Amino acid sequence: MELQELRNRIDGLDDQLLSLLNERMELVRTVGELKRSSQSIIYRPEREKQILDRLARHNSGLLTRQAIDAIFFEIFAVSRNLELPERVSYLGPEGSFTHQAAEGRFGAMSEYLVLPTIHSVFESVETGRAKFGVVPIENNQEGIVVETVDFLREKNLSIVAEMLLKVHFTFASQSDSLKSIKRIYSKDIAFRQCGKFIHEYLEGMGVELIPVDSTSKAAKLASEEPEAAAICSSISARLFGVPILFDNIEDSDQNQTRFLILAKDFTNVKSSDDKTTIIANLPNTNRPGVLFEFLKDFNDRGINLTKIESRPLRGEASFRAWFLVEFLGHMDDLRVQEIMHKYGTHLKWLGSYVRVS
């Protein structure tokens, strides 16, 4: 088959795809009108999971599950904007990994608020300036993001969904020769996570490592200085037009960051695989056995705990702590309800949502 014939067939398939997508959007618009009339929630992560799971089961072609998810998350984002455009805030700057996570779920068409602190993201959602907020909660190499965990306790927001993003760093520079590079800009954590690359490729070259506030700022500086480079995300390099010399330079290919989508007064219905996050302010934690008894209640009911993090209870002279607790299951599960009722006001439910990690 000739190349032009193959291209013609591809063009024909693209025309069919466009027609089918427009047909889908007409149905989406009708769904949006029904949701608005009944004041229903537009964003339904559990419904999106059902669709993706069904497509994966029916898939018999070359597309991987990751590729199917990427394509359809963008379709879902366009669909939601037709149903009801909603503003999304995220921890900036533009070009950060949180930006990449937000666009991965809400698409390029959404309206975004780029905010400088985790607190400002929480506040934007709490005040209604944004419908959803995206913040990091933990990295599997560096641990939890304490600001996010603390504000989950202090603010009255719900967890809508979780996302996992594989963290890949690129080495970007206007120069095409390593020998001419005098300075490398990046965030301190990025230098640590790319130490092997720096040692193997730049050892003995007298290159100065300059920490900056973000990998996005690093990319911006590298775009302005011919003898500089940045260790940054690929989205930052593209945003500031800095050529990528090396990709995936991180020491570990297992580096992942988990993000949360936050909203106000949001509740997910049960899916086939849920996770729940709560805050536990247990009484009398100085008494022996209090934490053990609490954890035993989960074990006795066959509930799998996936995370428990302690944080200091500020404002007291003692060394008491409160706990962030995550487990498999949904708030509506009878076993979970039993625990919530037993401890009453000592537990704060943050959300039940589709499990990703």
Side-chain angles (χ1 to χ4, degrees), residues 72-142:
F72 276 84
F73 272 135
E74 191 68 31
I75 292 173
F76 296 155
V78 173
S79 300
R80 285 196 300 272
N81 274 278
L82 280 178
E83 291 182 72
L84 180 64
E86 291 171 330
R87 187 180 294 120
V88 180
S89 64
Y90 67 83
L91 174 66
E94 192 176 12
S96 65
F97 287 110
T98 313
H99 178 191
Q100 188 172 332
E103 277 205 1
R105 183 55 56 93
F106 291 99
M109 286 182 58
S110 293
E111 181 184 354
Y112 290 103
L113 280 178
V114 187
L115 297 175
T117 64
I118 289 173
H119 176 264
S120 60
V121 175
F122 273 81
E123 188 177 57
S124 70
V125 179
E126 192 175 43
T127 59
R129 290 192 288 270
K131 177 66 175 179
F132 299 106
V134 181
V135 291
I137 186 169
E138 63 178 329
N139 177 270
N140 66 346
Q141 308 296 314
E142 301 289 335

Side-chain angles (χ1 to χ4, degrees), residues 53 62 74 101 128 140 164 189 209 212 216 231 244 252 301:
D53 288 346
L62 296 177
E74 191 68 31
N140 66 346
L164 280 183
I189 189 174
L209 304 182
V212 292
S216 295
I231 293 176
I244 295 174
S252 172
R301 290 167 174 79

Side-chain angles (χ1 to χ4, degrees), residues 4-259:
Q4 189 57 50
E5 185 179 352
L6 289 170
R7 286 174 172 170
N8 290 339
R9 289 186 61 182
I10 290 173
D11 289 346
L13 290 171
D14 287 344
D15 291 342
Q16 292 178 48
L17 285 172
L18 180 60
S19 178
L20 289 170
L21 285 172
N22 276 316
E23 185 177 344
R24 187 186 198 279
M25 295 307 161
E26 287 292 341
L27 293 172
V28 163
R29 185 163 58 182
T30 303
V31 169
E33 291 170 357
L34 290 173
K35 285 183 176 180
R36 282 192 293 273
S37 64
S38 61
Q39 296 185 328
S40 298
I41 296 171
I42 297 294
Y43 183 31
R44 302 277 18 159
E46 77 285 348
R47 167 61 178 156
E48 293 182 357
K49 182 180 186 300
Q50 289 173 2
I51 295 172
L52 293 172
D53 288 346
R54 177 178 57 80
L55 292 171
R57 287 194 303 270
H58 293 173
N59 179 41
S60 59
L62 296 177
L63 289 176
T64 63
R65 173 61 189 258
Q66 185 178 12
I68 292 170
D69 287 0
I71 292 167
F72 276 84
F73 272 135
E74 191 68 31
I75 292 173
F76 296 155
V78 173
S79 300
R80 285 196 300 272
N81 274 278
L82 280 178
E83 291 182 72
L84 180 64
E86 291 171 330
R87 187 180 294 120
V88 180
S89 64
Y90 67 83
L91 174 66
E94 192 176 12
S96 65
F97 287 110
T98 313
H99 178 191
Q100 188 172 332
E103 277 205 1
R105 183 55 56 93
F106 291 99
M109 286 182 58
S110 293
E111 181 184 354
Y112 290 103
L113 280 178
V114 187
L115 297 175
T117 64
I118 289 173
H119 176 264
S120 60
V121 175
F122 273 81
E123 188 177 57
S124 70
V125 179
E126 192 175 43
T127 59
R129 290 192 288 270
K131 177 66 175 179
F132 299 106
V134 181
V135 291
I137 186 169
E138 63 178 329
N139 177 270
N140 66 346
Q141 308 296 314
E142 301 289 335
I144 66 165
V145 180
V146 294
E147 295 92 341
T148 297
V149 173
D150 287 348
F151 285 126
L152 284 172
R153 178 177 179 267
E154 295 175 19
K155 304 292 186 180
N156 290 314
L157 298 182
S158 303
I159 299 174
V160 174
E162 66 175 357
M163 298 175 290
L164 280 183
L165 181 69
K166 286 196 172 184
V167 177
H168 295 299
F169 290 102
T170 64
F171 187 85
S173 177
Q174 300 286 355
S175 173
D176 57 3
S177 171
L178 290 178
K179 294 180 179 179
S180 62
I181 293 173
K182 307 298 183 186
R183 297 170 297 284
I184 303 175
Y185 297 104
S186 196
K187 196 170 172 61
D188 52 1
I189 189 174
F191 285 132
R192 292 200 302 271
Q193 294 183 357
C194 301
K196 187 181 297 184
F197 172 86
I198 294 170
H199 174 74
E200 292 178 353
Y201 283 74
L202 301 163
E203 183 73 14
M205 295 174 61
V207 178
E208 183 181 7
L209 304 182
I210 304 175
V212 292
D213 294 338
S214 68
T215 55
S216 295
K217 184 173 182 180
K220 184 176 187 298
L221 290 168
S223 72
E224 298 168 348
E225 302 177 24
E227 295 184 337
I231 293 176
C232 60
S233 65
S234 57
I235 193 173
S236 296
R238 290 197 301 270
L239 183 66
F240 293 102
V242 191
I244 295 174
L245 302 187
F246 301 96
D247 216 340
N248 300 337
I249 66 169
E250 62 278 358
D251 293 351
S252 172
D253 60 1
Q254 302 301 312
N255 190 357
Q256 296 186 86
T257 297
R258 178 177 168 228
F259 297 87

